[in-house]
Structure formats: structure tokens, C-alpha cells
Amino acid sequence: MNTFSDIVERIRGLLFRRSDERELAEELRFHLDMETEHLRRTGVSEHDARRHSLIALGGVERVKEDVRDARGTRLFQDSGADVSFATRTLRRNPGFALVAILTLAIGIGGTTAVFSVVNAVLLQPLPYSQPGQLVRLYQNSAAHPDDRGFVTPVHYLDYRSRMSSFEAAAAIETYSEVGADIGTGDGVRRIRLLPVTAEYFDIVRVHPEIGRGLQPQDENATVVVVSHSLWLEQLRGDRSAVGKTLTMSGRPYVVAGVMPDGFRDPIVGSVDAWVPVDLAPGRDVSNADNHYFSVIARLRGATPIASSQAELDALSLTLAKQYPSASYVRARLYPLKEDIVGSSSRALEILLGAVALVLLLVCVNIANLMLVRGSERAREFAVRSAIGAGRARLVRQMLIESLTLALAGDVAGLVVARLSMSGIVRLADGAVPRLETLSLDPRLLLFSVVVATACALVFGLAPALRIARTQPGDVLRGQSRSSTGGSAQMRLREWLVVSQVALAFVLLVAAGLLLSSFQRIRDVPLGVAPANVLTFELHLPTVRYDSTRRAAFYDDLAATVAKIPGVRAAGGISRLPATGNYHVWGTQPLTGPLARTPRGDIGAQQRVVAGDYFRAVGIPVIEGRVFDAQDVSGAPDRVVVSQTFARRLFPGMSAVGQRIAAGGRQSDIIGVVGDVSINNEGAEAAYVYHSHRQWAGNRAWALTQVVSLNTSRAHVERPIAGAISAIDQQLVMFKPAMLEDVIGRGAAQRVLMLRILLVFAGVAITLAALGLFGVLSFGVRLRAREFGIRMALGADSGVVRRMVLRKGFAVTAIGLGLGVVGALMTSRLIASVLFHVSPLDPRVMLGSILLMGAIAGLAAYLPARRATQSDPLSVLGSE
Amino acid sequence: MPPAPPAQPAPDRADLLQGTLEMLVLKTLALEPLHGWGIAHRIQSMSKDVFLVTQGSLYPALIRMKRRGWVKTSWRVTENNRRARYYELTAAGHRQLDTEHSTWQRASSAINLIMSATLAPEGA
């Protein structure tokens, strides 16, 4: 055989398909004419001659098909034809195409986006070398073993030198007072400074791209390692910047190194500069109750965390004897990743479950759509099969049609994925750690594309295969029920809808539970009145503000601001209320029944306040008084405590007038104030409030200002800024925000999850309703003849309507029953993210059943109404 | 001209042997270039109406032979002034005809030997 001419002919055939077809038609016509002419000449009549020659030819189209086969370009040509035919068919039925493509788009897009979030936050390791070795160390006490207390400098020094299973342990200053002002004049801005020990860089195993990290001998030196962006901004990207001086808060620092671009601290994220932490307080045993370090460590080699923990437990026993006064003597190690991701992980697992449910629902829906479509086209396929279409050809046609549909869905899914990704990042608004690393993972995309496409293909093909097996004659003779609505197939479709209802119900319950938790959280008393309270930060440069000036400044500021029209009260505090743990110090009663007993030894939240703080945030004074002008630095140390604190340490008696020890000082309790939640979920905590004027000398507190308003924020923000610059032109109002928003930010993660689940539940209900509607409508069409006869025989429309509704009711009821079982099975998973709501909350369950039932009722009513609206005569006449 | 064939094949008609159609077409075209109907008609008359070539097999066979380079085609005008596609043997087609012809001769004479054999005593 001449291979070359073969290939040339095939290619030519592809290129000149149109003219080939024309020539073939002409050739066959010529043949037919010749044959007819030939017969006619032998005496046959014109008409008979034509007929005979046609029969002899064996059907023009059949011959054409065979010739096309012989050309050897068949596969390509037909596929092309199939694709264009498929698009035409789909365009002729835009409703079906649109629903299928949208369903696929939601399935692929939604699942990919949410899965990417889970992947970015949960599955991907920390971006440091051998992240499995990284642990975080928290201190706790025998009474509170699950506490995650910060670490005292005293204990840190012991952990660092005595833990042999640690390759290294680093201490990081926990509190945000340690910022610095950089620049001069109007260009002054606050940067984020992170005091760390020298081990820090070894533990994260990221070293400066220029220069070096901090060294052990740097401990009290004024050296700084700057971030890449600060290096570009303040040192103009000078590669010889090492050794030069950078002035921060008026103090000259020697630049030791520049960190590589994109390096982020594992705990706090973006940092502008790293300076040596001051370890001197750790050498003073009196600080064994002063918890202010975050400690991270790297385990040596492949040391399991459990064996390191065992060593730590043994060391804790020794340390307890060494520092008998310390209240938190034990410590526990947590994998660093778990510590950072922590609370998000369960939420993300639930989202992942929701994604799986939605993907399943999408597949069920696609299956249903494809089955209906296959049934509807049984007749078309029978006709095509009867006039000579090969069975393989029909199946291939169906395959290509499904593929075309799936491809369109995939593309739409890609778009939806991109959109929902940016949507999720916007919704999350910093509430989910590490979300900034989010990107569309091609493997994930591939996964959902493959799943959705496979689903479309399998269920698109199933009807085609079945049609290929049926005898076209049967279908065409009108025994169509055997192939279009075979009762087995109808049952399959009904079960698909049942599963849809069940899946949608599970999602609906989850969304309902979350919504209900969210309402509970909103309603929970926080102990403060955050409405209409403006907050902002003010950072006082340490060079120009010594402790005396700072003490005076914050009170003067509060007094000045309070005089501005529209301001009710103004004050400052070291940590805004209901925004989490901060300064948990060991605290002991010195008087009362629990004086100097282990039970009286508690870790209490310590806050430093200035001005009229309590009135500004609406904390009521229960007993005694709050700080006033008498509580100055020379006066005896005085504290105000919360009700919970008073109840715990001075049960059954008045706390006012009692004495406590906290933060290395002994103080008199002068008043008791209302309880304040530690977070936005209403968790109670014991508070001790100190007066800033008495504590200004302790450290450079950066008090966040709170200003309660009886007018809108816009009216007072400018006068307040004016008042600040009247006191000191270089000070700026930093990060102004409403207290409500600041407290609410902690709930953002819950809000994010709630929103995603609500969207998913909405999608699920819609899909289930569409499925039910589709199945019932189809059933009605199949039984149109029966309904027509019934109505012609006198059945009133109510009877017919009830017949359809009953079917819808049965499907929904079974689906709901299974859905309740599913909700029970998933209740344990979701319980951990709920707040004051039982996972089997009857209100939510009942509400979900009613909502689902109502939507199902609507979906069933429309086909039921159509069943009664058909005119018996026209239905019967059409058969 | 033979009488018109009726719709049903005549009882003395035989099916074409598997694989022989191409050889017959090659032979027909070796005599002179012809159009499709001409080839079918010529085979039928040369075989004295024993072989009836259906168009359903003829045209696909012609396409295959063209792909293999045995025939070439051209559009010409027939004696009664109609446009028709003529098929013509190429050099490769002539070689193919020779090959198939000799193969056929060997095969048919072998078959004839078998079919005409009588039982003769061995070693006689």
C-alpha cells in the first residue's frame, strides 16, 4: 500500500470535505440517472425505473455513509459535526443547557474556592523549613491545665538552658506597646517592632539576605534587623546599609541585617523590624509571675513532641521548687501550626463537609438532568437509528453532547471559582490566619473539573446506551413508555430527588444552627456598651515622653477630649474590652478567707486605665469608687476589680478594703465594677484594673483611647484630632475605629462561615427544588394521557392535583426523614462551632423542615396545576 | 443489451467473493477509464449477469483504492453530454492488478484442483 498517498488523500479529504461531499452527491445522482435511463430503455416505465434503481442503489444516504467511512477521515469529521450539532441542540433547548452549565459552574467554582481556603489554611505546612519540629510553649497551672499562659522571662531562661530536646527556644515580646516611631517631622510614622531573642532566626530557619541576624551578645545592644520593605523605605534599598544607623523613637540603632522579601513572623505576621529582647528581668526571681513572652522552640531532630513534653514536665517539677511563689509552674507544648490555625480548623472542616455535600448535590442534579434529557430524546434517537445511524455513532453523539456541556460548565466554573475566591478573601477580612497565601490550586481545580465532567459524561451516556439497546420500532410505534419513562428509571430519578432533599436538608440545618448561634452571640451580654464608642491609638515617642509626662498626658488628653461637644466620656485602657486575653498575671489575696492559699492563687486579667474609662465604655460601678485625682504615683497602690474577681477571691464578703498582690505590688481594692467578657462570646474573666498614673513608670503603656459619643463619629473625629495636635503636633490619631467593629472582628470568622454555609444551603435547596419540579413535571407529561382520560371520565381537577401532590409529598417526606438522620449524624461535628445552641435544636430542625417542605410544596404545586390544566381532548387527540 | 434485471436478483446470480471486488474493478479499469455506473455495468455484463455490483460497495471500494493510489479520478463529459467522475488506473494500480491477478490464479487453480479431485488409490 502506498502510505504516502494514503495520508495525502486523508488530509485532502479533511481539507476539501465540503467539495468532496458535493462531488459525491453529484456522482451518485449521475449513477441513479444512468441506471434509470438504462432501465427505461429496456421498457420499464419512468416511475418504476426510478424506484428499481433506488432500491438497487440501496439508499443514497446509506451509500454516502459508507463512502464517508471509506475516506478514513470519519472520526475527525463526525466529531466536528457532533460538536456543532451538540451546540445547536443545546442552543435549541437553552433552559436545559443553562441549568446544567450553572449547576456545574456552582459545583466546580464553589467547591474549588472553598477547598482552596481549607488548603491554604489547614493543609499547607508553615512556610518554614521542617515546620513539623516547631512548637509553641505555654505556661499553665495544676488548677488550670488547659490555660495557654504566656511565659515569664524567669522560666524562659530555664527552658532555654535546660531543655535538651529543644534545638533552640526563642522568646518573643508579646505585647504591642513595643512599636517605634520612625522618621522625622511630618513623616513620622509608627512601625511594628518585634523584640526577639537571638534564637528566633535559627528557629524559623530564615536568615537575613544581607548582614546577619541577632547574636546572643546583642542582648542589650541597640541593633536592629529590618524587614525588606523597611529597608527599601528607610534605607533606600542600600546594599551597604549594614552597620549604618537607623533612628527609631529617637534612639539610634545599628542595622545588623535585612530580612528577605516576604518573610512573615509565624505568630503576628507582618513586622517592620526585629530588635533584641531585654532578658535582664529574667534574672530577677521576682518576675516569676510576670508572663509576657511568647515562646517558640524547635525540637531536636526527630524528637516526638510527647517525649519533649515529658522532659518539660520533669523540668517543671524542679522549677516549681525553685520558684515557690510562681502561680503558673507547668508548661505544655503545642505544634506551632495547630496553635496558629487552632480555632479555624474545625470551622474549615465543616466547610469542607459542606463543599462535599454541594458537589454531591451537583452531581445528582446533573445525573437527573441528563436522565430526563435522555428520555426526552428517546424518540429522536429511535428515528435516527431507524434511518441508518449506527449505534456507536449515537452513543458518540451523546458523549460529545455531554462533553460539550461539561466543558462549558468547566469554563463557567473557573470564572465562578475566581470570583468566589476574591469574595472569600474580602469576607474573611483578616479573620482567618494565613488566608493571604490563598491561591487557586491547579490540582484542586483539576479535581473538581474531573469529578463534574465525569458525572456529566456517565449520566449523559447512560440513557444513550439504553436507547442503543432498545428496538427503535418499539419506540416509534408509540410504546414509548418502555423507554422514555420505564418505571425503573422513574424510580431511580425519584430516589435521586430524595437524596437531594436529604442533602439540602442537612446543609439547611447546619446553616440554621450557625445562624441561631450567631444571634445568641449578638445577644450575649459583654458587660460593656460598645455602641457609639470611638477608639483610637496614640503612641508617645519614648524619647520625648518620660513616665511623668506620659502619666500626665493621658489624663490631660481624656479631660480635653471630654470637653468636646458630643463627647460623653473619654478614657484609655491597655487593651480594649472583649478582645481577648492580655496581661494575665498571678494574683493573690492578702486578706480574707483565701489569703495566701493555693485556691486564692489565680491568673487574673490586668488592665491599666486612664481618664474616665469605666463610664466611657459603660462598665457600671457596683461598689466603692473608681480611680480619681487622689490616685497619683506617690499614693498607696490601689486597684479596682471585677465582680467575678471579688466573688472568687472574697466569697461572701465585700471586696472593697481588701488587699491583693499582683504584678509584684500590694494594692488596696477601692471598688468593684461590672464583669466584662474576655471575648465576644461572653466568657467570664476576673479583672484587676490599675491606674495608669501609678503604673506609668513600669513600662511605656500605649493606651488605646475610648471616647463615648452622643453624636455621630463624623462630628467629633476632627475636633478630637485637633485637640491631640494642640497638645503635641507630632502625635497622630492612629487606627480610629468604632468599638463595636473592633469587638466584632473576632466574630468575622464565624460570619464568614455563616455566609458560605447560607449560600451553600440556598444553592442546595434550589437544586433540590429544581430536581423535584423536574421529576414531577416529567411524570405529569408521561401521564398526561391517563390524566386526560380520568378527567374525561369525570374526575375533578382536585383528584388529579392530589395525585401529583401526593407523589411530591412522598418524595419530600422520605428525603426529609433521611435528612434528619443525616443531621443527627453530623451534629457532633458541628457542635463545636455552635454557641449556646444544641446541634439538635428543635427550633432549627422544625424551621428547616417547614422551609424545605414549603419549597418542595411549591415545586410540586406547579406540575400538579399543569396536570389539571391540560385539556383532555387535546391530550387524547395528540396520541 | 440484456433484458432489464428485475428487482429481485436472478436465481443464477452469485455473490461476489470476499475481497475480489477490487480486483474486478482494477481489471475493468485496465481496459479503459470509466465512471462509477460504467464500472458496475461493465462487471455485470462481462460476468454475464452473474455478478451484480451494488453501489453501496462499489463507491467505498473506489474511495479506498484512490486512497491507496491505485486509481486517479477526473471529471469528464460523457458521450451523452453529462458530467461524470471517471476513474483511471495508475501505474501502481497496474502493478496491483498484476499481483492480485497472479495471486488469484494460484488460488483458483488450487481450489479447482481440490474441487475436481477424485479418490485415487495411494501410490498407484
Side-chain angles (χ1 to χ4, degrees):
Chain A
M1 183 194 289
N2 187 336
T3 325
F4 177 70
S5 79
D6 184 46
I7 294 171
V8 169
E9 270 303 307
R10 286 195 200 210
I11 293 174
R12 208 197 59 79
L14 273 180
L15 295 178
F16 300 98
R17 182 154 61 98
R18 218 172 271 272
S19 64
D20 273 1
E21 282 290 310
R22 223 179 21 244
E23 289 182 355
L24 176 63
E26 188 178 344
E27 189 170 18
L28 292 179
R29 200 165 52 239
F30 170 76
H31 187 107
L32 195 60
D33 289 347
M34 287 298 284
E35 188 70 19
T36 312
E37 179 64 25
H38 173 69
L39 288 176
R40 220 169 47 74
R41 250 185 276 149
T42 60
V44 184
S45 78
E46 170 88 33
H47 177 263
D48 280 352
R50 192 87 197 163
R51 210 172 72 83
H52 281 307
S53 50
L54 262 177
I55 291 170
L57 192 60
V60 178
E61 288 309 309
R62 188 93 230 184
V63 174
K64 281 187 184 172
E65 283 289 294
D66 289 342
V67 170
R68 285 173 198 142
D69 272 339
R71 270 191 208 135
T73 56
R74 181 90 207 192
L75 191 63
F76 303 99
Q77 281 175 18
D78 283 357
S79 302
D82 282 343
V83 169
S84 71
F85 183 75
T87 33
R88 255 183 298 133
T89 331
L90 292 176
R91 236 183 290 148
R92 226 179 14 236
N93 198 343
F96 164 77
L98 206 67
V99 170
I101 291 172
L102 274 183
T103 310
L104 282 170
I106 290 167
I108 295 167
T111 51
T112 311
V114 174
F115 202 85
S116 301
V117 172
V118 176
N119 183 50
V121 178
L122 270 191
L123 307 178
Q124 275 174 10
L126 296 172
Y128 309 106
S129 134
Q130 292 190 273
Q133 296 175 335
L134 295 175
V135 293
R136 177 146 185 198
L137 186 151
Y138 282 107
Q139 285 192 301
N140 58 41
S141 65
H144 307 281
D146 289 326
D147 267 9
R148 294 192 178 194
F150 296 122
V151 179
T152 76
V154 177
H155 287 93
Y156 164 69
L157 288 177
D158 283 307
Y159 298 141
R160 176 166 85 166
S161 59
R162 293 162 78 169
M163 285 290 291
S164 64
S165 59
F166 287 173
E167 185 182 302
I172 302 157
E173 271 257 9
T174 297
Y175 300 114
S176 51
E177 291 93 354
V178 284
D181 297 313
I182 199 158
T184 50
D186 287 347
V188 172
R189 76 173 183 100
R190 190 79 181 172
I191 61 165
R192 186 153 205 180
L193 214 56
L194 195 68
V196 296
T197 57
E199 295 85 359
Y200 177 84
F201 301 97
D202 294 329
I203 286 175
V204 295
R205 291 203 180 145
V206 179
H207 293 278
E209 55 180 358
I210 307 171
R212 56 171 180 82
L214 301 173
Q215 307 293 314
Q217 64 271 20
D218 286 338
E219 226 156 75
N220 280 310
T222 47
V223 295
V224 61
V225 172
V226 296
S227 71
H228 191 86
S229 56
L230 193 70
W231 173 62
L232 290 178
E233 180 196 301
Q234 293 292 330
L235 300 163
R236 293 186 196 81
D238 180 3
R239 294 200 69 83
S240 57
V242 172
K244 295 202 169 149
T245 305
L246 185 65
T247 303
M248 298 191 295
S249 294
R251 281 174 78 188
Y253 284 79
V254 177
V255 175
V258 179
M259 288 306 278
D261 196 11
F263 172 73
R264 296 171 61 82
D265 178 76
I267 299 171
V268 299
S270 63
V271 170
D272 294 305
W274 292 261
V275 294
V277 78
D278 181 8
L279 280 173
R283 295 184 181 100
D284 181 351
V285 177
S286 71
N287 276 310
D289 254 338
N290 197 354
H291 301 261
Y292 63 92
F293 278 159
S294 298
V295 172
I296 58 173
R298 186 178 276 279
L299 300 180
R300 203 177 286 285
T303 313
I305 195 163
S307 63
S308 184
Q309 179 69 49
E311 188 194 0
L312 186 59
D313 290 343
L315 178 60
S316 296
L317 290 177
T318 320
L319 294 181
K321 289 190 198 99
Q322 200 171 335
Y323 313 111
S325 73
S327 51
Y328 275 42
V329 294
R330 312 199 319 171
R332 192 185 290 179
L333 302 175
Y334 297 86
L336 184 59
K337 172 148 190 206
E338 182 199 305
D339 179 63
I340 296 167
V341 175
S343 55
S344 313
S345 71
R346 185 41 70 88
L348 289 169
E349 278 169 23
I350 288 171
L351 281 187
L352 207 56
V355 162
L357 283 186
V358 169
L359 197 59
L360 206 60
L361 252 172
V362 163
C363 281
V364 170
N365 220 49
I366 290 292
N368 222 335
L369 280 171
M370 290 298 194
L371 287 179
V372 173
R373 185 146 172 84
S375 304
E376 282 177 350
R377 298 180 64 193
R379 216 183 154 80
E380 173 200 333
F381 274 59
V383 171
R384 291 174 57 188
S385 160
I387 59 172
R391 301 225 159 132
R393 182 82 177 67
L394 286 182
V395 171
R396 201 174 68 206
Q397 159 78 43
M398 206 58 189
L399 190 73
I400 283 183
E401 216 171 291
S402 309
L403 205 63
T404 310
L405 206 58
L407 277 179
D410 293 343
V411 171
L414 220 72
V415 175
V416 171
R418 267 262 66 101
L419 290 180
S420 14
M421 292 270 281
S422 46
I424 287 173
V425 172
R426 225 184 359 256
L427 279 179
D429 194 24
V432 181
R434 306 181 63 213
L435 200 56
E436 66 277 1
T437 61
L438 184 60
S439 63
L440 208 58
D441 190 323
R443 282 168 310 163
L444 298 176
L445 201 59
L446 191 70
F447 172 75
S448 23
V449 163
V450 165
V451 167
T453 308
C455 174
L457 288 189
V458 166
F459 288 98
L461 218 51
L465 287 174
R466 204 188 44 249
I467 289 164
R469 274 200 310 273
T470 51
Q471 285 300 316
D474 291 349
V475 179
L476 294 178
R477 268 196 297 276
Q479 296 165 351
S480 52
R481 291 201 53 174
S482 60
S483 79
T484 56
S487 60
Q489 198 217 331
M490 200 61 199
R491 258 204 306 281
L492 170 64
R493 295 198 44 216
E494 276 160 15
W495 279 109
L496 286 179
V497 174
V498 164
S499 69
Q500 280 186 315
V501 171
L503 291 173
F505 182 77
V506 172
L507 276 174
L508 192 60
V509 168
L513 288 172
L514 226 58
L515 191 67
S516 156
S517 310
F518 198 65
Q519 280 168 343
R520 300 278 161 94
I521 289 173
R522 279 266 158 96
D523 296 343
V524 88
L526 296 178
V528 291
N532 228 11
V533 175
L534 176 68
T535 78
F536 58 91
E537 291 175 30
L538 261 187
H539 298 281
L540 305 178
T542 29
V543 195
R544 293 189 290 118
Y545 284 85
D546 61 9
S547 61
T548 326
R549 270 197 80 184
R550 277 202 311 274
F553 174 85
Y554 280 119
D555 275 356
D556 289 351
L557 176 72
T560 313
V561 168
K563 288 198 196 85
I564 294 171
V567 173
R568 280 193 331 121
I573 187 164
S574 50
R575 175 80 167 195
L576 287 175
T579 55
N581 281 308
Y582 203 64
H583 287 132
V584 183
W585 297 347
T587 310
Q588 285 178 298
L590 299 172
T591 57
L594 299 179
R596 298 195 167 80
T597 62
R599 249 188 79 205
D601 207 348
I602 65 167
Q605 301 283 332
Q606 313 284 322
R607 298 289 185 271
V608 171
V609 299
D612 205 355
Y613 168 75
F614 297 101
R615 211 158 67 81
V617 296
I619 300 174
V621 180
I622 308 291
E623 200 186 344
R625 66 171 179 94
V626 293
F627 305 115
D628 60 25
Q630 6 169 350
D631 307 306
V632 290
S633 62
D637 279 312
R638 292 167 186 143
V639 294
V640 169
V641 299
S642 70
Q643 270 183 296
T644 297
F645 182 90
R647 201 172 48 243
R648 272 205 225 160
L649 264 57
F650 303 99
M653 57 190 294
S654 169
V656 175
Q658 306 293 339
R659 284 176 66 75
I660 59 166
R665 295 190 190 185
Q666 303 194 344
S667 318
D668 295 319
I669 298 177
I670 55 167
V672 177
V673 294
D675 275 327
V676 173
S677 163
I678 191 67
N679 51 28
N680 54 16
E681 297 186 1
E684 73 169 19
Y687 283 89
V688 177
Y689 297 94
H690 304 270
S691 162
H692 178 253
R693 267 173 306 184
Q694 295 191 326
W695 280 79
N698 179 264
R699 70 187 68 176
W701 302 94
L703 299 189
T704 306
Q705 303 299 302
V706 290
V707 184
S708 91
L709 314 173
N710 47 30
T711 176
S712 82
R713 170 182 176 178
H715 283 109
V716 289
E717 216 172 306
R718 194 179 289 270
I720 292 175
I724 295 168
S725 61
I727 300 173
D728 184 336
Q729 276 206 317
Q730 287 195 6
L731 296 183
V732 281
M733 194 174 180
F734 190 50
K735 289 202 240 168
M738 298 308 282
L739 182 56
E740 254 179 328
D741 298 337
V742 178
I743 293 176
R745 201 161 295 148
Q749 191 189 318
R750 205 181 288 268
V751 176
L752 170 70
M753 200 165 106
L754 178 67
R755 287 192 185 155
I756 293 179
L757 267 187
L758 280 179
V759 170
F760 278 179
V763 167
I765 296 178
T766 312
L767 290 181
L770 279 180
L772 186 64
F773 174 78
V775 159
L776 292 181
S777 306
F778 193 66
V780 165
R781 223 175 315 155
L782 285 184
R783 295 171 68 186
R785 189 187 167 89
E786 176 199 333
F787 291 144
I789 293 173
R790 280 173 188 273
M791 286 175 69
L793 290 179
D796 69 1
S797 53
V799 173
V800 169
R801 197 181 300 140
R802 271 197 296 281
M803 284 174 63
V804 179
L805 285 179
R806 209 178 304 134
K807 168 72 77 188
F809 178 76
V811 167
T812 312
I814 300 173
L816 285 179
L818 289 178
V820 170
V821 175
L824 291 181
M825 276 166 26
T826 51
S827 65
R828 262 186 22 168
L829 180 68
I830 199 162
S832 62
V833 294
L834 296 182
F835 179 77
H836 291 188
V837 176
S838 150
L840 307 173
D841 186 73
R843 252 177 7 135
V844 171
M845 281 284 177
L846 203 65
S848 306
I849 289 175
L850 287 181
L851 181 60
M852 198 75 221
I855 289 170
L858 186 68
Y861 177 73
L862 296 175
R865 210 181 51 163
R866 213 174 41 206
T868 61
Q869 278 173 345
S870 55
D871 172 19
L873 269 183
S874 71
V875 170
L876 294 178
S878 77
E879 292 278 322
Chain B
M1 277 285 159
Q8 259 73 44
D12 57 348
R13 207 157 266 175
D15 282 338
L16 274 179
L17 283 173
Q18 194 75 36
T20 53
L21 175 63
E22 285 178 9
M23 182 177 71
L24 297 184
V25 171
L26 283 173
K27 175 66 190 171
T28 314
L29 289 181
L31 304 176
E32 62 169 324
L34 273 175
H35 45 66
W37 182 81
I39 298 170
H41 196 72
R42 182 71 56 84
I43 291 177
Q44 190 180 339
S45 58
M46 286 195 305
S47 70
K48 299 205 170 27
D49 282 343
V50 172
F51 291 148
L52 177 65
V53 181
T54 64
Q55 290 73 8
S57 43
L58 174 65
Y59 286 97
L62 284 170
I63 289 286
R64 270 195 303 275
M65 290 163 72
K66 188 177 177 201
R67 250 173 55 199
R68 290 170 193 162
W70 299 343
V71 297
K72 56 186 182 191
T73 62
S74 55
W75 286 88
R76 296 185 200 167
V77 178
T78 66
E79 54 266 34
N80 11 355
N81 246 353
R82 288 206 44 174
R83 240 167 70 87
R85 187 179 351 226
Y86 275 76
Y87 295 82
E88 190 178 342
L89 226 53
T90 62
H94 281 291
R95 281 197 301 276
Q96 180 67 20
L97 176 59
D98 291 345
T99 319
E100 292 205 10
H101 194 184
S102 57
T103 310
W104 170 255
Q105 275 178 337
R106 270 205 314 280
S108 62
S109 60
I111 290 170
N112 283 334
L113 277 175
I114 295 166
M115 296 314 288
S116 59
T118 51
L119 196 60
E122 253 172 80

